[in-house]
Amino acid sequence: STTEKPVLLNNIADAEAFVSGAEVAVIGFFQDPQSPEAEQFRLAAGQVPEVPFGLSSSAAVLSHYGASASTVALFRTVDKDRRDLDMSNRDVDAKKLTRFVRMNELRLVTEYDPVTAIGVMQSSLEFNLLLITDKMSPKHPERMRKFRAAAELYKGKILFILLDSNLKSNERVVSYFQLKKSQLPALAIFHTPDDQHDVLTPDEISIERVQDFCNRFL
């Protein structure tokens, strides 16, 4: 995309529209937009093309979000959460900032891997629904479409997670739910406070099946 990253947010209305317009949005609050911290922020913005980055040095915007100067805030709609990173610490560079975004960018459907796992664990949502499936399967795009459509219905209630059964790092999760490859795709729902869970191995994923499974468990 040829759009300038990050987007300059000059007033509260711009900032609110920016946050509500994306599943995950990042805003850098900098009193001095030319500071070394702001420079690192711009570098990070270029490294995470799929997440919108905004920058504001407006005193009104900073005060509206209760942000101190040199703070980066990540907003996510899936659990209406916000995560802040203090950039005034000289140790925080573009690399650390990129990791902070990658770790916390929970989406409508979050793909589980060692980096996103940290954000998943820290989510304020107590219910997680996993779709454990082979991403290489020709049926994968259609499964994902239905899983995403179901995720829309449980926004703010259940965190929907995609777990690729081909990844070696995911084998432990698959065995935790006592599943064999031959039983996939499978749905596993999990209540984090007490580890209660339930597993379903449907012949095929449909929105109704996902709904039925979630409602029964809830």
Side-chain angles (χ1 to χ4, degrees), residues 12 56 59 71 73 109 120 135 138 172 216 218:
I12 294 168
S56 188
T71 298
V109 174
V120 166
K135 266 180 78 180
R172 224 172 44 147
R216 267 209 327 265
L218 290 174

Side-chain angles (χ1 to χ4, degrees), residues 24-37:
V24 179
V26 175
I27 299 182
F29 300 101
F30 298 103
Q31 249 165 351
D32 173 10
Q34 303 311 320
S35 66
E37 297 93 328

Side-chain angles (χ1 to χ4, degrees), residues 89-141:
N89 182 336
R90 288 273 172 240
D91 292 348
V92 181
D93 56 7
K95 192 175 168 199
K96 283 201 174 131
L97 178 54
T98 304
R99 185 172 163 76
F100 166 78
V101 173
R102 286 272 177 246
M103 223 162 69
N104 289 294
E105 57 162 341
L106 297 186
R107 297 170 177 276
L108 203 53
V109 174
T110 300
E111 184 163 353
Y112 189 88
D113 62 37
V115 179
T116 58
I118 301 164
V120 166
M121 308 282 186
Q122 293 174 346
S123 165
S124 58
L125 298 182
E126 294 189 340
F127 293 95
N128 294 348
L129 178 71
L130 282 73
L131 169 59
I132 304 170
T133 187
D134 172 1
K135 266 180 78 180
M136 307 308 279
S137 158
K139 292 182 175 176
H140 180 69

Side-chain angles (χ1 to χ4, degrees), residues 19-207:
V19 169
S20 63
E23 281 193 62
V24 179
V26 175
I27 299 182
F29 300 101
F30 298 103
Q31 249 165 351
D32 173 10
Q34 303 311 320
S35 66
E37 297 93 328
E39 207 34 62
Q40 291 298 315
F41 180 75
R42 286 190 186 85
L43 281 174
Q47 286 165 17
V48 194
E50 66 282 18
V51 176
F53 276 61
L55 190 149
S56 188
S57 48
S58 143
V61 174
L62 265 75
S63 136
H64 177 72
Y65 285 102
S68 50
S70 299
T71 298
V72 172
L74 177 142
F75 301 86
R76 52 189 196 210
T77 54
V78 66
D79 57 357
K80 300 190 175 37
D81 206 351
R82 164 181 166 177
R83 299 284 153 124
D84 287 12
L85 181 68
D86 181 4
M87 290 288 287
S88 58
N89 182 336
R90 288 273 172 240
D91 292 348
V92 181
D93 56 7
K95 192 175 168 199
K96 283 201 174 131
L97 178 54
T98 304
R99 185 172 163 76
F100 166 78
V101 173
R102 286 272 177 246
M103 223 162 69
N104 289 294
E105 57 162 341
L106 297 186
R107 297 170 177 276
L108 203 53
V109 174
T110 300
E111 184 163 353
Y112 189 88
D113 62 37
V115 179
T116 58
I118 301 164
V120 166
M121 308 282 186
Q122 293 174 346
S123 165
S124 58
L125 298 182
E126 294 189 340
F127 293 95
N128 294 348
L129 178 71
L130 282 73
L131 169 59
I132 304 170
T133 187
D134 172 1
K135 266 180 78 180
M136 307 308 279
S137 158
K139 292 182 175 176
H140 180 69
E142 184 55 18
R143 274 177 199 150
M144 268 309 282
R145 192 183 66 71
K146 290 174 177 162
F147 195 59
R148 263 191 81 86
E152 286 277 0
L153 307 170
Y154 294 95
K155 234 191 312 205
K157 280 202 200 103
I158 300 175
L159 189 61
F160 276 57
I161 299 163
L162 168 68
L163 192 100
D164 183 6
S165 56
N166 293 314
L167 281 189
K168 199 137 185 61
S169 57
N170 286 339
E171 280 173 2
R172 224 172 44 147
V173 183
V174 179
S175 66
Y176 174 82
F177 291 112
Q178 298 177 332
L179 287 163
K180 299 187 190 72
K181 283 242 166 140
S182 59
Q183 294 173 291
L184 303 179
L187 292 168
I189 195 162
F190 193 85
H191 184 231
T192 47
D194 58 10
D195 287 358
Q196 256 200 304
H197 60 272
D198 194 8
V199 177
L200 179 72
T201 51
D203 336 320
E204 223 19 87
I205 302 296
S206 72
I207 301 170

